[in-house]
Each structure stands twice: as structure tokens, then as C-alpha cells.
Amino acid sequence: MHYILTLILLTSFLYAKNGDFSIVINEPFSNALVDITEDYDRDISAVGFIKKYKSNQAKQDTTYTNAFDYLASLSNGNNGSQTHLVKVNNQADITLRKSTNLPYFNEAVSIIKTPQNGYFIGGHTLEGSLLVLKMDSNAQTIFHKTFGTANQDKMSKMIPLRDGGVLAIGSSVVSRSPNDNLFESGLGLSDIYLTRLSKEGEILWSKKYGTTKDDTGVDAAEADDGSIMLIGQVSEKKSKSVTILRITQNGDKIWIKEYKNEKNLTPHKIIKLRDNNFVISLSQNDDTNKEQIRLIKIDLQKNILQDKMIQTTYASALKDIKEFSDTKIAGVGYVRDGHNTDGLAMLLDNKFSMLNQEHYGSDEYDSFNALTILNNSQIAAAGIYTNKDSQESNMWIVKLNKDLSMAKIPTKSIESKR
């Protein structure tokens, strides 16, 4: 496998960079970046989570003679995640870092730009509620809203809508409370759970979909006519299949299509193309039980226009895909060779033929979770990077050229240094 090693961090709260545009942010515990976007000032913003201790105020006056006792008193079993936003400029300088510091532990899954150069951030609390934050361009919270059913809910993705609102996609454990009027018994073990919110954060509707099996909402994309294409995972014992669902802007079901296969299918992403058709990124086990990439192109009438397996030497998956203006498709995810996992970047033509692929990372566990195509056709990707001999993952941002080579940090001119 081909590796490009990023510079390792030496201390907490600092980051390192060299000629390659690759930033690793090292903090205590396992942290990650899960989504990324380009700001209107051409900077890059990524969101993820960072682990924090929850202080035990009741023991502030206690004197400790042993450092391990002191650390145990701080954690008290309550160390957990907080949504964390990172902003970097074209020189690979980190210009902003902000944690939510909400009173409950939470993790982000999506970041969306607002017209004011701020952000919608979607995620969930670890107690089982869905979470939406609206922030200004300095990551100051305008409002945050927690919502959901009486039971355990989890968000997989949040997407922007044409009216300025957002759609939260996720799952909800079957409701057993008579006070939950969404579904008193649910459809199965867990159900696809959608909530549409206005740009002011008002909940317009919430609906569940699914089978008598275990259903999870994965991702969605809005069509030009306002309808929504949704993908979900259906699980039963050791079998996994994929549901493709089209609903109206009010959440009413138009049609549903299920993909079943003797080899497990896992959906990762759906995007709308410029021709108003859709591409779905999945992974599927081959005859040797090795994970391979599968891409499906589908129209609004559920006609399959293309369906192709991307055969690679190593087990691979594309967790995010985006379309260039020339109709080529960029994808990022992971590639596995034995016990080593690297970040995968792939470029395909509009017929899903692979034009190029590159692997980035260390000898440990590394993965790209999301990408955005920048105004200059470069790619920014976010994910996790693991230092050598470490068991803890770090936040990771890279910038790639369109040919998937690592972008270089621009050299500052003499004039800019004066």
C-alpha cells in the first residue's frame, strides 16, 4: 500500500504541519472529525467530537496524595464527547476551535453552511436525543434544540433543504410509551426516523418508516421538485440489506425499493447529480468476503440507470462522494490490508470507471469520513488519524488536488510577510 505520513503532534492543544496540507490535532482520548465544508471566505470548517471530563464539583475541596485517585475523581465514569468545530485557512493555520460545552455529552454528524456564513450542526446526545445547533461565523451558538421520541434516538446525517431548513435522518428504538403519539409500538426493533426543521429551528414534522426488522436511516438528498430520496439499512440477524425510499416534502411515502443480496450490503451516501438523478455509495462483500465498493445510479421513478462494483485489491468503502462540475465523482473512505486501515481517496468518471486512487495514513488505523469539493477543484477531507503505537484516534484534515495527490501549503510571498 502507498502511504503518506503526516507529522505527528508532540503536545496537547497543538497541531503540526509540514509542506503537505495535512493537519493532525492531538488531544487526550479518541477524537474524530466527521464532516467538512468550505466557508464563504474560502477557509475550511470541519466538525466532529472531542472527549472531555465532566468535573465532580462535590469533591473540589478534597485533598489527594495520589494522581490516579485525582483523575478517577474527575472522570467518575462520566468522561464523554462534546461537538467540536475546527476552522483552517489556506495556509493550514487553525484559526478557530470551539466545543459546544453543552450540559450533556453529544456527538456531531453533519455541518451545513447558512447564508450568513454560519453553521447548522446536527448530531445526538449520548442520552438518546437528537440535537441541532445553529451557530454564527465565529461558532457562537444562536440556538440549540434537542428533540426526539421517548426512547433512544440517534442521528446519522443532516442535509440542507432549499427553503433554508434542514432534514435530520436517523433511527429510533421502538416506542413503548403511550405518551409517544408518533408510533406507540413502532415498526420493528428500530425504525428510520426523520425530522424536518425550518431555518429558525422549528420542527415541522417527524415521521418513522421501516419494516418489522431493524431499520436505520443513513442519508438523504433533495430533488429539484422538493421530494426527498432516502437510503436506509435493514438488518436481521446476520443479513443486511438496503432500502431506497422516496417521500414528499411533507414526509409522505411515494415509493420504496429494497435491495437484498446474499452478500451483506451497507449504504453510506446518496447525492443528487446535476442531471437530477442520484448516486448511492454502498459496500458489499465479494465471494472472498472482502468488502468492495458498489455504486448505483437511480432516477426519481426508481429506475436503475447504472449499477457497478468497483473491484479493488484491498477491502474498500467510500463513505462520502461528491460530483465535480465535469461530472467526475470524487470519493473518500477507507481501505484495509490485514490489520492496517488507511484513508482512501478515489476519482471515477460518470460511468463509475475508476480513474485513480490513493491511500493516506500511518501503519495504524486511519480513515476519511467526509469530503467537500472546493472552489478551485481541490478536495478537502476530514477523518481520523492514529499515531504510531497509539490506541487513541486524532482529528485529521487534509487537502488533495483533483488528481488525488496531496496538496501543498502555499508559500507566503515576501509581500505577505511584511
Side-chain angles (χ1 to χ4, degrees):
M1 300 174 74
H2 172 61
Y3 309 109
I4 290 184
L5 302 180
T6 54
L7 200 60
I8 307 302
L9 294 168
L10 300 178
T11 58
S12 298
F13 304 103
L14 297 177
Y15 69 97
K17 62 180 182 178
N18 56 10
D20 293 334
F21 200 108
S22 177
I23 302 171
V24 177
I25 303 172
N26 193 351
E27 297 279 8
F29 312 110
S30 290
N31 308 299
L33 292 174
V34 296
D35 202 9
I36 192 165
T37 188
E38 185 178 27
D39 298 322
Y40 302 145
D41 57 8
R42 306 308 191 188
D43 287 352
I44 297 168
S45 291
V47 73
F49 57 86
I50 188 169
K51 298 293 175 65
K52 294 288 187 181
Y53 274 123
K54 189 174 183 180
S55 298
N56 188 347
Q57 299 294 332
K59 297 186 178 181
Q60 274 190 341
D61 298 330
T62 303
T63 301
Y64 296 93
T65 58
N66 185 298
F68 293 102
D69 292 339
Y70 172 69
L71 289 175
S73 74
L74 286 179
S75 63
N76 197 27
N78 289 322
N79 57 299
S81 303
Q82 288 284 350
T83 291
H84 193 73
L85 183 129
V86 179
K87 184 169 181 173
V88 301
N89 63 19
N90 193 46
Q91 297 292 328
D93 299 316
I94 295 179
T95 60
L96 177 66
R97 286 183 60 188
K98 185 72 177 291
S99 293
T100 54
N101 293 322
L102 295 175
Y104 34 77
F105 296 127
N106 59 90
E107 294 184 356
V109 298
S110 292
I111 184 169
I112 296 169
K113 293 301 299 181
T114 66
Q116 296 77 29
N117 202 31
Y119 313 94
F120 270 115
I121 294 176
H124 46 259
T125 72
L126 302 193
E127 288 81 11
S129 297
L130 302 184
L131 171 68
V132 172
L133 298 99
K134 190 173 185 180
M135 294 181 168
D136 63 19
S137 58
N138 295 314
Q140 298 296 319
T141 299
I142 299 172
F143 66 75
H144 78 268
K145 182 181 290 291
T146 56
F147 56 97
T149 68
N151 285 356
Q152 187 83 12
D153 302 326
K154 188 173 184 180
M155 192 183 298
S156 300
K157 196 70 177 176
M158 188 173 72
I159 65 164
L161 300 174
R162 295 181 303 163
D163 62 2
V166 295
L167 181 72
I169 305 107
S171 60
S172 177
V173 174
V174 168
S175 304
R176 299 298 182 194
S177 169
N179 298 320
D180 186 352
N181 58 9
L182 193 61
F183 277 102
E184 289 189 3
S185 60
L187 301 176
L189 299 176
S190 67
D191 305 316
I192 296 171
Y193 182 34
L194 300 185
T195 299
R196 182 168 185 155
L197 299 95
S198 71
K199 59 184 177 182
E200 290 83 20
E202 176 189 2
I203 293 177
L204 303 178
W205 53 260
S206 293
K207 295 192 177 183
K208 282 188 176 184
Y209 314 83
T211 66
T212 56
K213 304 170 187 176
D214 218 346
D215 297 277
T216 303
V218 174
D219 194 20
E222 187 181 28
D224 288 345
D225 64 358
S227 65
I228 295 165
M229 295 281 281
L230 168 73
I231 56 171
Q233 179 84 75
V234 183
S235 302
E236 184 181 29
K237 296 180 181 179
K238 295 182 179 181
S239 172
K240 294 194 296 184
S241 58
V242 172
T243 295
I244 307 172
L245 185 68
R246 185 184 176 198
I247 60 174
T248 69
Q249 59 186 355
N250 296 317
D252 299 323
K253 185 167 63 177
I254 300 174
W255 54 256
I256 186 170
K257 185 180 183 70
E258 187 173 359
Y259 266 85
K260 295 183 178 180
N261 193 285
E262 65 277 5
K263 302 296 182 180
N264 286 339
L265 280 171
T266 301
H268 298 290
K269 184 70 179 179
I270 181 170
I271 62 169
K272 185 180 78 68
L273 301 175
R274 286 171 170 78
D275 62 6
N276 203 31
N277 294 311
F278 298 82
V279 174
I280 303 167
S281 175
L282 311 101
S283 53
Q284 175 180 324
N285 292 355
D286 62 15
D287 292 336
T288 63
N289 211 32
K290 181 173 63 178
E291 193 175 22
Q292 296 285 8
I293 297 162
R294 182 177 177 183
L295 296 174
I296 295 174
K297 185 175 181 179
I298 189 170
D299 65 15
L300 286 172
Q301 288 71 46
K302 66 179 176 181
N303 298 308
I304 302 301
L305 307 178
Q306 289 176 240
D307 188 345
K308 187 170 183 178
M309 292 282 293
I310 311 297
Q311 298 291 339
T312 54
T313 303
Y314 306 104
S316 304
L318 293 180
K319 300 179 72 174
D320 195 10
I321 54 175
K322 294 288 190 299
E323 183 188 26
F324 282 101
S325 58
D326 63 2
T327 72
K328 291 185 176 69
I329 294 174
V332 297
Y334 56 83
V335 55
R336 291 175 178 153
D337 176 20
H339 298 291
N340 179 39
T341 300
D342 282 332
L344 169 66
M346 188 173 287
L347 183 67
L348 306 108
D349 65 20
N350 58 12
K351 302 297 184 184
F352 304 153
S353 295
M354 185 173 65
L355 303 175
N356 193 17
Q357 68 166 318
E358 292 290 347
H359 307 164
Y360 293 98
S362 67
D363 290 335
E364 309 300 325
Y365 184 91
D366 313 290
S367 177
F368 292 136
N369 291 321
L371 82 149
T372 187
I373 296 177
L374 305 176
N375 70 96
N376 62 357
S377 295
Q378 288 183 317
I379 298 166
I384 60 175
Y385 180 94
T386 307
N387 297 331
K388 181 176 173 56
D389 299 324
S390 174
Q391 302 304 308
E392 298 178 351
S393 60
N394 305 307
M395 294 175 280
W396 191 22
I397 297 174
V398 303
K399 187 186 287 187
L400 307 175
N401 298 312
K402 190 175 180 180
D403 65 1
L404 305 184
S405 61
M406 184 71 75
K408 301 297 181 180
I409 299 172
T411 303
K412 293 182 179 180
S413 65
I414 296 176
E415 288 77 8
S416 67
K417 294 178 182 179
R418 291 176 179 174

